[in-house]
């Protein structure tokens, strides 16, 4: 483990779990997180292979890094988070101004079991990016960047599978009598695929067309 950034003086209210292979725009993601009004209530947990060199941590951002391999899965990352709620983030999505504050306001209201941001395309000027966004993110409750209670996640016996098929988590939230809520004020900008070649290969090998 390697620590960087601001030391946490209290338990965070919201943990941001950020797996990366070092190929995304991690510096941009961290800068957007550090610019959040409620940055003091956030914790960023970065999972990265040992050989990946992280960009400098912005001042004021509480961040911890754990050496990790994709085959380790993401469930191990949930157990490393300290916040009451956990967002499974990615290294190519950028929180807009007020993203954290909007989520934290919803955390204070009873009845929520999942909080989803409003996802907008970062690079909407490209046609391939528009197509990618329409197929994957035009509907509410996208398949990642959502927040769940940490204890709820850790109670799932098949958590690793659920993190790959998030609709299962959402079904279980509703089965417990809780709500999946869309936080329209929590805007997140997702960097879509930028070439037709990359888009086609991703559909073929990574299964971006879920169902």
């Amino acid at each position: 483990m390697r620590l960087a950034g601001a030391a946490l003086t209290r338990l965070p209210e919201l943990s941001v779990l950020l797996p990366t292979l070092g190929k995304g725009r991690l510096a941009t993601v961290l800068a957007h997180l550090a610019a959040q009004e409620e940055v003091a209530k956030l914790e960023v947990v970065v999972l990265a292979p040992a050989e990946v060199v992280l960009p400098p941590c912005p001042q004021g951002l509480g961040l911890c890094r754990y050496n990790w391999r994709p085959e380790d899965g993401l469930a191990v990352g949930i157990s490393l988070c300290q916040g009451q709620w956990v967002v499974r983030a990615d290294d190519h999505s950028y929180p807009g101004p007020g993203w954290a504050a909007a989520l934290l306001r919803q955390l204070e209201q009873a009845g929520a079991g999942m909080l989803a941001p409003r996802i907008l395309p970062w690079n909407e000027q490209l046609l391939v990016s528009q197509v990618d966004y329409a197929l994957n993110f035009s509907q509410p409750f996208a398949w990642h960047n959502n927040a769940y209670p940490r204890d709820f996640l850790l109670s799932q016996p098949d958590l690793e599978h659920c993190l790959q098929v998030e609709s299962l988590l959402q079904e279980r939230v509703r089965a417990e009598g809780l709500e999946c809520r869309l936080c329209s004020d929590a805007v997140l900008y997702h960097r879509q695929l930028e070439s037709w070649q990359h888009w086609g290969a991703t559909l073929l090998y990574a299964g971006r067309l879920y169902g």
Side-chain angles (χ1 to χ4, degrees):
M1 180 184 70
R2 184 164 72 246
L3 296 177
L8 295 173
T9 58
R10 62 176 182 176
L11 288 178
E13 296 182 30
L14 183 65
S15 293
V16 180
L17 180 62
L18 189 55
T20 182
L21 298 177
K23 298 179 180 179
R25 275 80 172 181
L26 189 59
T28 306
V29 177
L30 296 180
H32 279 75
L33 288 169
Q36 297 295 309
E37 180 182 351
E38 300 283 6
V39 65
K41 298 180 181 179
L42 301 181
E43 167 199 47
V44 181
V45 177
V46 176
L47 304 179
E51 63 272 16
V52 170
V53 178
L54 299 188
C57 182
Q59 185 176 4
L61 183 64
L63 182 148
C64 55
R65 179 253 178 88
Y66 293 89
N67 292 337
W68 169 84
R69 300 168 300 173
E71 55 266 32
D72 295 334
L74 292 175
V76 63
I78 303 296
S79 64
L80 296 171
C81 294
Q82 300 181 74
Q84 299 177 31
W85 284 67
V86 178
V87 175
R88 176 200 164 191
D90 59 48
D91 60 4
H92 50 275
S93 292
Y94 315 134
W99 168 83
L103 289 179
L104 290 167
R105 283 195 300 271
Q106 286 290 332
L107 299 188
E108 297 174 355
Q109 300 183 21
M114 189 275 276
L115 301 175
R118 181 162 63 98
I119 297 181
L120 299 177
W122 176 262
N123 45 350
E124 60 182 348
Q125 69 277 11
L126 300 176
L127 178 58
V128 62
S129 299
Q130 295 173 23
V131 173
D132 186 43
Y133 175 80
L135 288 174
N136 293 289
F137 294 101
S138 59
Q139 299 298 320
F141 308 148
W143 45 272
H144 60 176
N145 288 296
N146 300 320
Y148 295 88
R150 178 179 180 272
D151 289 346
F152 166 77
L153 291 174
L154 293 177
S155 71
Q156 305 305 310
D158 54 347
L159 177 57
E160 192 61 51
H161 177 61
C162 289
L163 291 172
Q164 303 303 322
V165 188
E166 238 184 270
S167 57
L168 291 177
L169 282 177
Q170 294 166 18
E171 290 177 4
R172 293 176 187 180
V173 165
R174 297 185 180 99
E176 293 193 6
L178 299 173
E179 297 179 1
C180 295
R181 294 177 179 170
L182 176 65
C183 300
S184 299
D185 294 338
V187 175
L188 188 84
Y189 296 95
H190 187 272
R191 194 177 193 101
Q192 306 301 133
L193 300 178
E194 298 179 331
S195 75
W196 290 110
Q197 182 179 12
H198 189 192
W199 184 72
T202 301
L203 291 182
L204 180 62
Y205 295 111
R208 288 294 294 274
L209 286 179
Y210 283 87

